[in-house]
Every structure is written in structure tokens, then in C-alpha cells.
Amino acid sequence: MAPVTVVGAGVIGLSVAHELASAGHHVRVIADVDTPDTVSAVAAALWFPFHAALAAEVPDLLAPSFQRFAALADDPGTGVRMSEGVVLERTDTPDRAWARGLPDVREATRSHLRGGARSGLVATLPMIEIPQYLPWLRTQTARLGVEFERRRIHALDELTGPVVIAAGLRGSDLLDDEESTSPVRGQIVRVANPGLTRWVTDDGNPDGLTYVFPRMSDVVVGGIAVESDDVGVDAQTQADILRRACALVPELAGQPVLGAAAGLRPARPTVRIEAVPRHRLAGRADPVIAAYGHGGAGVTLSWGTAAYVRDLLA
């Protein structure tokens, strides 16, 4: 098999590299930003398709990712565990497509609802503790023989052989994509865990996106989703996030802040995952696969994306 170059070292790039190497490909990952400095390292991260525009392929990416994360949860060394929580709903016709086929989902009762929610679903979903999971994934990928190179790719003609573009915000530039990828700012706050075990997400909160994700050693609360290229932690945004989170989960009130972070989600009108037509690539003979634009669902769709890319290169 011809060597495959994966451009991008975030969760999509690493998952693709891992899947391709597992299938027998020789793989190298080239990125100008190392894994700990990608937006993936800021993710909360719960398996949930937040702000992923539903291209036709997205439903096919959800189930494989869920199944892989559920399997990884059997190994405590991965940083993945199955966790129960509630998805709050505030409309008469909530979109529940994400829950189709999941093994442990039920209607929320009145005791689960809070903050003015009309309905909700209680689900057991993979909680991915990013500070543990990303180093684990990077190590496992390296053990499969994947090579890593730190440099910036300016154009495709710098590379030979099959290429997978998983470079997040830079993907559309490298492929002259007509539907460009834009930065959507996210910000989270980490607070001490007062003993919470259940997560809650309230995407439709009229005061702003709100979620509370208990982890083993802290609680991640968020968030925001606004078009911006500012990666600084904003104090007023942090205060607003904490106010909404404490209103939703009063047990958080008074808990010490342990840290905060901001990152730029790679948003696109739809997730792009496809073989790029050769007539668009100025005579290039080697296959090029686009795998970017996952918005806030990069972790959620990562293993499904990797399997899709693997099949495209089979």
C-alpha cells in the first residue's frame, strides 16, 4: 500500500491515522499545531453531536463512534467511561435523531427537568476525559508505526501519495473549498466537583448554551458558540457561564474555579467527508480525502469519520 499522509493532529487526524495504520497502511501525520494545542484538547467532551451540520454522511458516523467509545470505556486507561445524564429540550418538536438506536435512552421524568425545559431524554453516553484520552490516542497511534512531523503545509503539491485533509480550520484553504470553514469560539470553565455524577446539557437555554459535565477530578461547564477568531479566555464570558451553570445545577455554587480554556471549533455549512474529485485538483493523480468541518462534534464523530476514510481508501 502507498504511504498515506494525514494533515492535522487533532482528534480527527489521530483517529484517521490510527484506523488507517490498523488497516495496514503506512501513515505519517503532518501538522503545524501539535495535539495538545489543538481545539480537540479543549473539548468537554461528551459523545453528542453538538453543532455538526448534518451532511448526509453524519448519521452514518455517529453509530461507529458510539460503539468504539463504548468499547474503549471497558479500559480505564483510555479516559473513556459510560455516564448517565439528561439532554434537556425546550421545543415542542425536539430533534432526537442523535438518540436513534442507542441502547440506554428513556424519556426524562419531571424530576429530571429543570430550568424551564419542556422535555428531555435520559441517556447513558460515553464521557471522554480529554486530558487522558488524547495522550492515550497519540501513544496508541505511534505504537502502530505512525510517524509524526511538525511543519506547515501550504499546498497539496508539497505532498505525494494519498492525502487526508483533517486540518480543521485550514482544510478549506488547502482544498480551495467553496464552502469555507469558519472559526466558532468556544469557552469552558473547570470547577471542583462537589460530588456530581450526572451530566446535563441545555443547548436551547434562552440565556445561552449551558452544559455541566462531571469528570473524575473536576466538572467542565460551558459554554458559548459564536463566530470569532479570539482564543483568549474572556472574564465576563466565564462569569456568565458559571451563572448559567449554577442556575441549572445549584450544587456548583461556590465551588472553586480550577481553570478555564477557549478554542475555535472548525465550523462549515456541512461536515465535509469525501473523496475530492480529481478535476478539482489540477491533474493530481493521487487520491485526496477531505475530512473536516465537524464543528463542535469532532470527538463525537471521530471514529466514524476514521472508518469512513478507511473505506474510501480501501
Side-chain angles (χ1 to χ4, degrees):
M1 297 183 183
V4 180
T5 299
V6 176
V7 180
V11 71
I12 297 295
L14 290 182
S15 302
V16 167
H18 187 285
E19 198 73 2
L20 292 177
S22 297
H25 291 274
H26 176 68
V27 182
R28 64 172 176 166
V29 173
I30 299 179
D32 61 338
V33 176
D34 204 3
T35 301
D37 299 318
T38 64
V39 68
S40 301
V42 182
L46 179 75
W47 180 96
F48 187 77
F50 172 72
H51 278 208
L54 291 184
E57 298 84 3
V58 167
D60 295 331
L61 308 182
L62 286 171
S65 285
F66 180 93
Q67 292 160 6
R68 180 66 70 90
F69 281 124
L72 291 174
D74 292 334
D75 179 358
T78 64
V80 182
R81 58 188 174 85
M82 301 302 291
S83 178
E84 185 180 271
V86 59
V87 177
L88 298 177
E89 300 165 336
R90 293 178 178 266
T91 69
D92 292 328
T93 57
D95 180 4
R96 294 182 167 183
W98 63 271
R100 194 173 297 132
L102 295 184
D104 188 8
V105 179
R106 65 187 187 275
E107 195 75 30
T109 65
R110 185 176 298 275
S111 65
H112 296 113
L113 303 182
R114 50 182 84 183
R118 297 186 182 185
S119 60
L121 289 179
V122 177
T124 300
L125 303 179
M127 179 72 71
I128 299 97
E129 303 222 5
I130 287 295
Q132 184 176 356
Y133 176 70
L134 276 185
W136 173 85
L137 179 58
R138 175 79 176 236
T139 298
Q140 295 302 311
T141 302
R143 286 177 177 172
L144 288 170
V146 174
E147 300 171 356
F148 291 87
E149 183 178 347
R150 182 79 175 270
R151 68 181 171 99
R152 186 177 183 87
I153 299 298
H154 297 278
L156 281 181
D157 58 14
E158 299 175 33
L159 304 171
T160 59
V163 175
V164 179
I165 302 298
L169 287 169
R170 294 200 61 234
S172 57
D173 293 336
L174 289 170
L175 291 178
D176 294 324
D177 192 345
E178 295 175 357
E179 297 184 357
S180 62
T181 307
S182 59
V184 173
R185 173 181 162 78
Q187 184 169 323
I188 57 97
V189 187
R190 295 189 303 108
V191 301
N193 191 342
L196 300 176
T197 58
R198 260 191 181 174
W199 52 266
V200 58
T201 181
D202 187 9
D203 288 2
N205 189 326
D207 291 332
L209 166 68
T210 306
Y211 53 83
V212 175
F213 294 162
R215 303 194 300 193
M216 298 300 289
S217 59
D218 59 14
V219 180
V220 176
V221 298
I224 60 167
V226 295
E227 287 200 19
S228 170
D229 59 3
D230 182 5
V231 294
V233 173
D234 180 74
Q236 184 59 56
T237 299
Q238 177 170 315
D240 292 341
I241 288 172
L242 289 171
R243 175 181 51 79
R244 296 196 302 271
C246 291
L248 195 64
V249 183
E251 297 94 325
L252 291 174
Q255 294 300 312
V257 172
L258 304 178
L264 304 179
R265 305 178 181 101
R268 189 177 180 273
T270 58
V271 176
R272 188 181 190 191
I273 172 171
E274 62 179 352
V276 183
R278 292 185 179 180
H279 68 83
R280 297 279 304 278
L281 298 175
R284 183 184 176 89
D286 297 314
V288 174
I289 308 297
Y292 58 87
H294 293 71
V299 176
T300 296
L301 301 175
S302 57
W303 287 113
T305 297
Y308 199 97
V309 170
R310 177 203 62 207
D311 292 345
L312 287 173
L313 286 175

Short mmCIF file of all heavy atoms in Angstrom, two decimals, residues 32-71:
data_model
loop_
_atom_site.label_atom_id
_atom_site.label_comp_id
_atom_site.label_asym_id
_atom_site.label_seq_id
_atom_site.Cartn_x
_atom_site.Cartn_y
_atom_site.Cartn_z
N ASP A 32 1.09 21.61 11.74
CA ASP A 32 1.84 22.75 12.27
C ASP A 32 1.48 23.04 13.71
O ASP A 32 2.15 23.81 14.38
CB ASP A 32 1.62 23.99 11.40
CG ASP A 32 0.16 24.41 11.34
OD1 ASP A 32 -0.71 23.56 11.60
OD2 ASP A 32 -0.11 25.59 11.03
N VAL A 33 0.40 22.42 14.20
CA VAL A 33 -0.02 22.55 15.60
C VAL A 33 -0.05 21.17 16.21
O VAL A 33 -0.70 20.26 15.70
CB VAL A 33 -1.42 23.21 15.70
CG1 VAL A 33 -1.87 23.26 17.15
CG2 VAL A 33 -1.39 24.61 15.09
N ASP A 34 0.68 20.98 17.32
CA ASP A 34 0.74 19.67 17.94
C ASP A 34 -0.56 19.38 18.69
O ASP A 34 -1.32 20.29 19.04
CB ASP A 34 1.92 19.60 18.90
CG ASP A 34 2.39 18.16 19.12
OD1 ASP A 34 1.84 17.25 18.48
OD2 ASP A 34 3.31 17.96 19.93
N THR A 35 -0.81 18.11 18.94
CA THR A 35 -2.08 17.66 19.52
C THR A 35 -2.49 18.43 20.77
O THR A 35 -3.65 18.87 20.88
CB THR A 35 -2.01 16.15 19.83
OG1 THR A 35 -1.72 15.44 18.61
CG2 THR A 35 -3.31 15.65 20.42
N PRO A 36 -1.62 18.67 21.76
CA PRO A 36 -2.07 19.39 22.97
C PRO A 36 -2.51 20.82 22.72
O PRO A 36 -3.18 21.41 23.58
CB PRO A 36 -0.83 19.36 23.87
CG PRO A 36 0.01 18.23 23.36
CD PRO A 36 -0.22 18.22 21.88
N ASP A 37 -2.16 21.38 21.55
CA ASP A 37 -2.50 22.76 21.25
C ASP A 37 -3.67 22.89 20.27
O ASP A 37 -4.01 24.00 19.85
CB ASP A 37 -1.28 23.50 20.67
CG ASP A 37 -0.12 23.53 21.64
OD1 ASP A 37 -0.37 23.76 22.84
OD2 ASP A 37 1.03 23.31 21.21
N THR A 38 -4.28 21.76 19.90
CA THR A 38 -5.44 21.80 19.00
C THR A 38 -6.70 22.09 19.80
O THR A 38 -6.74 21.97 21.02
CB THR A 38 -5.61 20.47 18.26
OG1 THR A 38 -5.89 19.43 19.22
CG2 THR A 38 -4.33 20.11 17.50
N VAL A 39 -7.79 22.44 19.07
CA VAL A 39 -9.07 22.68 19.74
C VAL A 39 -9.58 21.40 20.39
O VAL A 39 -10.34 21.45 21.37
CB VAL A 39 -10.11 23.25 18.74
CG1 VAL A 39 -10.49 22.21 17.70
CG2 VAL A 39 -11.34 23.77 19.48
N SER A 40 -9.15 20.25 19.89
CA SER A 40 -9.56 18.97 20.49
C SER A 40 -9.19 18.90 21.96
O SER A 40 -9.90 18.28 22.77
CB SER A 40 -8.92 17.80 19.74
OG SER A 40 -9.28 17.81 18.37
N ALA A 41 -8.07 19.53 22.32
CA ALA A 41 -7.60 19.46 23.70
C ALA A 41 -8.46 20.29 24.64
O ALA A 41 -8.33 20.17 25.86
CB ALA A 41 -6.14 19.94 23.77
N VAL A 42 -9.35 21.13 24.10
CA VAL A 42 -10.22 21.96 24.91
C VAL A 42 -11.61 21.33 25.05
O VAL A 42 -12.42 21.76 25.86
CB VAL A 42 -10.33 23.38 24.31
CG1 VAL A 42 -11.18 24.30 25.14
CG2 VAL A 42 -8.94 23.98 24.13
N ALA A 43 -11.88 20.29 24.27
CA ALA A 43 -13.22 19.70 24.24
C ALA A 43 -13.66 19.22 25.61
O ALA A 43 -12.86 18.80 26.43
CB ALA A 43 -13.24 18.54 23.25
N ALA A 44 -14.98 19.21 25.83
CA ALA A 44 -15.52 18.91 27.16
C ALA A 44 -15.26 17.47 27.68
O ALA A 44 -14.79 17.35 28.81
CB ALA A 44 -17.00 19.25 27.23
N ALA A 45 -15.51 16.35 27.07
CA ALA A 45 -16.15 16.04 25.81
C ALA A 45 -17.10 14.88 26.03
O ALA A 45 -16.70 13.83 26.50
CB ALA A 45 -15.10 15.65 24.76
N LEU A 46 -18.33 15.09 25.65
CA LEU A 46 -19.36 14.07 25.72
C LEU A 46 -19.69 13.64 24.31
O LEU A 46 -19.72 14.47 23.40
CB LEU A 46 -20.61 14.64 26.40
CG LEU A 46 -21.82 13.71 26.54
CD1 LEU A 46 -21.57 12.69 27.65
CD2 LEU A 46 -23.09 14.54 26.85
N TRP A 47 -19.96 12.34 24.11
CA TRP A 47 -20.42 11.88 22.80
C TRP A 47 -21.81 12.47 22.57
O TRP A 47 -22.80 12.00 23.13
CB TRP A 47 -20.47 10.35 22.76
CG TRP A 47 -20.94 9.82 21.43
CD1 TRP A 47 -20.15 9.39 20.40
CD2 TRP A 47 -22.30 9.67 20.97
NE1 TRP A 47 -20.94 8.99 19.34
CE2 TRP A 47 -22.26 9.16 19.67
CE3 TRP A 47 -23.54 9.93 21.55
CZ2 TRP A 47 -23.42 8.89 18.93
CZ3 TRP A 47 -24.70 9.69 20.81
CH2 TRP A 47 -24.63 9.16 19.52
N PHE A 48 -21.85 13.53 21.77
CA PHE A 48 -23.12 14.20 21.48
C PHE A 48 -22.86 15.11 20.29
O PHE A 48 -21.91 15.90 20.31
CB PHE A 48 -23.61 15.00 22.69
CG PHE A 48 -24.98 15.57 22.52
CD1 PHE A 48 -26.10 14.77 22.63
CD2 PHE A 48 -25.16 16.92 22.23
CE1 PHE A 48 -27.38 15.29 22.47
CE2 PHE A 48 -26.43 17.45 22.06
CZ PHE A 48 -27.54 16.63 22.18
N PRO A 49 -23.69 15.04 19.25
CA PRO A 49 -23.40 15.78 18.00
C PRO A 49 -23.75 17.25 18.09
O PRO A 49 -24.66 17.74 17.43
CB PRO A 49 -24.26 15.05 16.96
CG PRO A 49 -25.41 14.52 17.74
CD PRO A 49 -24.85 14.14 19.09
N PHE A 50 -22.99 17.98 18.89
CA PHE A 50 -23.24 19.41 19.06
C PHE A 50 -22.71 20.21 17.88
O PHE A 50 -21.55 20.09 17.50
CB PHE A 50 -22.57 19.91 20.34
CG PHE A 50 -22.60 21.41 20.50
CD1 PHE A 50 -23.80 22.04 20.80
CD2 PHE A 50 -21.47 22.18 20.31
CE1 PHE A 50 -23.86 23.43 20.92
CE2 PHE A 50 -21.51 23.56 20.43
CZ PHE A 50 -22.71 24.17 20.74
N HIS A 51 -23.59 21.04 17.28
CA HIS A 51 -23.22 21.96 16.20
C HIS A 51 -22.45 21.27 15.08
O HIS A 51 -21.44 21.76 14.59
CB HIS A 51 -22.40 23.13 16.76
CG HIS A 51 -23.28 24.20 17.35
ND1 HIS A 51 -22.91 25.51 17.40
CD2 HIS A 51 -24.49 24.15 17.95
CE1 HIS A 51 -23.87 26.23 17.99
NE2 HIS A 51 -24.83 25.41 18.33
N ALA A 52 -22.92 20.09 14.68
CA ALA A 52 -22.37 19.42 13.50
C ALA A 52 -23.47 19.45 12.44
O ALA A 52 -24.47 18.75 12.56
CB ALA A 52 -21.97 17.99 13.81
N ALA A 53 -23.31 20.31 11.44
CA ALA A 53 -24.32 20.39 10.41
C ALA A 53 -24.49 19.02 9.76
O ALA A 53 -23.51 18.38 9.36
CB ALA A 53 -23.92 21.43 9.36
N LEU A 54 -25.72 18.56 9.69
CA LEU A 54 -25.95 17.17 9.33
C LEU A 54 -25.86 16.95 7.83
O LEU A 54 -26.86 16.92 7.11
CB LEU A 54 -27.30 16.70 9.87
CG LEU A 54 -27.38 16.58 11.39
CD1 LEU A 54 -28.72 16.01 11.80
CD2 LEU A 54 -26.26 15.71 11.93
N ALA A 55 -24.64 16.79 7.33
CA ALA A 55 -24.46 16.29 5.98
C ALA A 55 -25.02 14.87 5.92
O ALA A 55 -25.24 14.22 6.94
CB ALA A 55 -22.97 16.30 5.61
N ALA A 56 -25.24 14.38 4.71
CA ALA A 56 -25.86 13.06 4.55
C ALA A 56 -25.08 11.98 5.27
O ALA A 56 -25.65 10.99 5.74
CB ALA A 56 -25.99 12.73 3.06
N GLU A 57 -23.76 12.17 5.38
CA GLU A 57 -22.92 11.12 5.97
C GLU A 57 -22.95 11.10 7.49
O GLU A 57 -22.60 10.10 8.11
CB GLU A 57 -21.45 11.31 5.53
CG GLU A 57 -21.20 11.18 4.03
CD GLU A 57 -21.48 12.49 3.31
OE1 GLU A 57 -21.79 13.49 3.98
OE2 GLU A 57 -21.39 12.50 2.06
N VAL A 58 -23.36 12.20 8.13
CA VAL A 58 -23.20 12.32 9.58
C VAL A 58 -23.93 11.22 10.36
O VAL A 58 -23.35 10.63 11.27
CB VAL A 58 -23.62 13.72 10.07
CG1 VAL A 58 -23.76 13.75 11.59
CG2 VAL A 58 -22.57 14.74 9.63
N PRO A 59 -25.20 10.88 10.04
CA PRO A 59 -25.82 9.79 10.79
C PRO A 59 -25.03 8.49 10.72
O PRO A 59 -25.02 7.71 11.68
CB PRO A 59 -27.19 9.66 10.11
CG PRO A 59 -27.47 11.02 9.57
CD PRO A 59 -26.13 11.52 9.11
N ASP A 60 -24.35 8.25 9.61
CA ASP A 60 -23.55 7.03 9.48
C ASP A 60 -22.27 7.09 10.31
O ASP A 60 -21.64 6.07 10.54
CB ASP A 60 -23.19 6.79 8.00
CG ASP A 60 -24.41 6.51 7.15
OD1 ASP A 60 -25.40 5.97 7.69
OD2 ASP A 60 -24.39 6.86 5.96
N LEU A 61 -21.87 8.29 10.74
CA LEU A 61 -20.66 8.44 11.53
C LEU A 61 -20.93 8.27 13.02
O LEU A 61 -20.04 7.94 13.79
CB LEU A 61 -20.03 9.81 11.30
CG LEU A 61 -19.77 10.24 9.86
CD1 LEU A 61 -19.11 11.62 9.84
CD2 LEU A 61 -18.92 9.23 9.12
N LEU A 62 -22.17 8.52 13.44
CA LEU A 62 -22.49 8.51 14.86
C LEU A 62 -22.37 7.13 15.48
O LEU A 62 -21.72 6.95 16.51
CB LEU A 62 -23.90 9.06 15.08
CG LEU A 62 -24.07 10.57 14.92
CD1 LEU A 62 -25.54 10.94 14.95
CD2 LEU A 62 -23.31 11.32 16.00
N ALA A 63 -23.02 6.14 14.89
CA ALA A 63 -23.06 4.81 15.49
C ALA A 63 -21.68 4.18 15.62
O ALA A 63 -21.33 3.65 16.69
CB ALA A 63 -24.00 3.90 14.72
N PRO A 64 -20.84 4.22 14.57
CA PRO A 64 -19.50 3.62 14.73
C PRO A 64 -18.69 4.30 15.83
O PRO A 64 -17.94 3.64 16.55
CB PRO A 64 -18.84 3.82 13.36
CG PRO A 64 -19.97 3.96 12.41
CD PRO A 64 -21.05 4.66 13.17
N SER A 65 -18.83 5.63 15.96
CA SER A 65 -18.10 6.32 17.02
C SER A 65 -18.62 5.91 18.39
O SER A 65 -17.84 5.67 19.32
CB SER A 65 -18.24 7.84 16.85
OG SER A 65 -17.44 8.31 15.78
N PHE A 66 -19.94 5.85 18.54
CA PHE A 66 -20.50 5.43 19.82
C PHE A 66 -20.00 4.04 20.19
O PHE A 66 -19.58 3.79 21.33
CB PHE A 66 -22.03 5.44 19.75
CG PHE A 66 -22.69 5.03 21.04
CD1 PHE A 66 -23.05 5.98 21.98
CD2 PHE A 66 -22.93 3.69 21.33
CE1 PHE A 66 -23.64 5.61 23.18
CE2 PHE A 66 -23.52 3.31 22.53
CZ PHE A 66 -23.88 4.27 23.45
N GLN A 67 -20.05 3.13 19.24
CA GLN A 67 -19.65 1.75 19.52
C GLN A 67 -18.17 1.66 19.91
O GLN A 67 -17.80 0.92 20.83
CB GLN A 67 -19.94 0.87 18.31
CG GLN A 67 -21.43 0.69 18.04
CD GLN A 67 -21.75 0.26 16.63
OE1 GLN A 67 -20.85 -0.02 15.82
NE2 GLN A 67 -23.03 0.22 16.29
N ARG A 68 -17.33 2.44 19.23
CA ARG A 68 -15.89 2.39 19.56
C ARG A 68 -15.65 2.98 20.95
O ARG A 68 -14.91 2.41 21.75
CB ARG A 68 -15.10 3.17 18.53
CG ARG A 68 -13.58 3.17 18.78
CD ARG A 68 -12.96 1.78 18.64
NE ARG A 68 -12.97 1.36 17.28
CZ ARG A 68 -11.99 1.60 16.39
NH1 ARG A 68 -10.90 2.25 16.78
NH2 ARG A 68 -12.10 1.18 15.16
N PHE A 69 -16.28 4.11 21.25
CA PHE A 69 -16.09 4.70 22.57
C PHE A 69 -16.65 3.80 23.67
O PHE A 69 -16.06 3.69 24.75
CB PHE A 69 -16.73 6.08 22.64
CG PHE A 69 -15.90 7.18 22.01
CD1 PHE A 69 -16.44 7.97 21.00
CD2 PHE A 69 -14.61 7.42 22.42
CE1 PHE A 69 -15.68 8.97 20.42
CE2 PHE A 69 -13.83 8.42 21.85
CZ PHE A 69 -14.39 9.20 20.84
N ALA A 70 -17.79 3.17 23.40
CA ALA A 70 -18.36 2.27 24.40
C ALA A 70 -17.41 1.11 24.68
O ALA A 70 -17.26 0.67 25.83
CB ALA A 70 -19.71 1.74 23.93
N ALA A 71 -16.74 0.62 23.65
CA ALA A 71 -15.76 -0.45 23.84
C ALA A 71 -14.54 0.05 24.61
O ALA A 71 -14.00 -0.64 25.49
CB ALA A 71 -15.34 -1.02 22.48
#
